[in-house]
Amino acid sequence: MKRFLLVVNLVFLAGLSSVLLVGCNEKADSDTNASNPKGSGSIAEGDVFPVAYIDTDSLLRQYQYAIYLQEELLKKEEKSRTDFNEQAKKLETQLAEFQRKVQNNGFLSRERAEKEQRNLMSKEQELQGLNAKLSNELMVEQEKLNRQLRDTLTSYLEEMNKAGNYKLILSNTLGDNVLYSAPGINITQSVADALNKRYEVSKGKASAE
């Protein structure tokens, strides 16, 4: 069976490759330095279009919730692969036995041999159906995972940007989108730290319930 799992971060990165609109501050340019998130860096006075960016692949390698979700998906993929391989091995054994009986005239009649052949062909079709079913289930799970991560990130960015420091936050997917930036424009680390802190708090609340 083909490996079902598309690498989580690559798919998620593609979903974030467009610009994230996280604020529409109408204040004067001189106000854009106020209330930056911790460690996010400042925007120089006079900037008319304050922006920041996140190295999304780096963020996903640090974000504990993303790591947890990826591990859970890997477990599901492994179980799917095991289930499929067990069925495939059984069919392989049955096909070998059929070939052996044909070569040794082990069937009482031609009709019995043809019936067994049709039965094996039906099982092969069922196995192909199982392959498609497991692949689809994993794709659905991955899409669900990606939505969770996107929603979590965009929700945090909206909350972070309530002060209107940024009008645009870019996703620097695999380092392709930002060739140069002034110091302080990369807010990856501060976002990762904040998301991990929120995740730890949510885990603590879940354990207490």
Side-chain angles (χ1 to χ4, degrees):
M1 182 183 68
K2 294 181 180 179
R3 184 176 181 84
F4 296 130
L5 179 64
L6 302 174
V7 178
V8 174
N9 60 345
L10 292 179
V11 176
F12 178 57
L13 299 180
L16 287 178
S17 59
S18 59
V19 174
L20 298 174
L21 298 176
V22 295
C24 296
N25 181 27
E26 298 300 332
K27 295 180 180 180
D29 297 334
S30 59
D31 293 335
T32 61
N33 285 328
S35 304
N36 276 324
K38 49 187 178 180
S40 66
S42 62
I43 303 298
E45 289 188 4
D47 285 347
V48 297
F49 201 57
V51 299
Y53 74 89
I54 295 171
D55 281 319
T56 321
D57 50 337
S58 175
L59 175 65
L60 292 177
R61 288 195 298 269
Q62 298 181 63
Y63 185 21
Q64 293 302 312
Y65 182 52
I67 295 171
Y68 165 76
L69 291 177
Q70 184 171 351
E71 290 174 346
E72 289 299 302
L73 190 57
L74 285 170
K75 290 178 184 177
K76 292 179 181 179
E77 182 202 8
E78 183 62 30
K79 183 179 184 305
S80 295
R81 185 188 298 114
T82 299
D83 292 344
F84 179 85
N85 288 341
E86 288 178 355
Q87 297 298 321
K89 188 174 181 179
K90 288 180 182 179
L91 180 58
E92 183 180 359
T93 300
Q94 292 171 345
L95 287 170
E97 177 63 16
F98 174 77
Q99 292 293 337
R100 186 189 66 79
K101 291 178 70 174
V102 168
Q103 293 172 359
N104 294 291
N105 296 318
F107 290 100
L108 297 176
S109 66
R110 180 187 181 91
E111 288 75 17
R112 290 286 296 272
E114 290 176 346
K115 181 179 179 181
E116 180 64 17
Q117 185 179 32
R118 288 194 298 271
N119 181 47
L120 291 173
M121 290 176 63
S122 176
K123 288 184 178 181
E124 185 177 12
Q125 291 176 348
E126 290 176 0
L127 190 62
Q128 292 174 353
L130 177 62
N131 186 10
K133 177 176 177 290
L134 294 176
S135 296
N136 183 67
E137 288 177 350
L138 286 171
M139 288 178 64
V140 169
E141 285 294 323
Q142 184 170 322
E143 290 172 359
K144 178 181 177 182
L145 178 155
N146 293 337
R147 285 195 301 271
Q148 285 180 284
L149 292 176
R150 282 195 299 269
D151 291 347
T152 300
L153 179 56
T154 55
S155 175
Y156 169 72
L157 292 178
E158 289 172 358
E159 179 180 334
M160 178 198 79
N161 201 53
K162 283 182 178 179
N165 298 317
Y166 304 113
K167 291 187 177 180
L168 290 177
I169 296 181
L170 303 172
S171 170
N172 190 30
T173 307
L174 299 177
D176 289 339
N177 298 325
V178 177
L179 299 179
Y180 169 79
S181 70
I185 302 301
N186 184 344
I187 62 172
T188 306
Q189 192 60 56
S190 62
V191 171
D193 292 343
L195 289 173
N196 281 329
K197 183 176 181 180
R198 284 158 58 112
Y199 179 53
E200 290 299 321
V201 171
S202 67
K203 284 202 306 181
K205 290 180 179 179
S207 300
E209 292 178 354

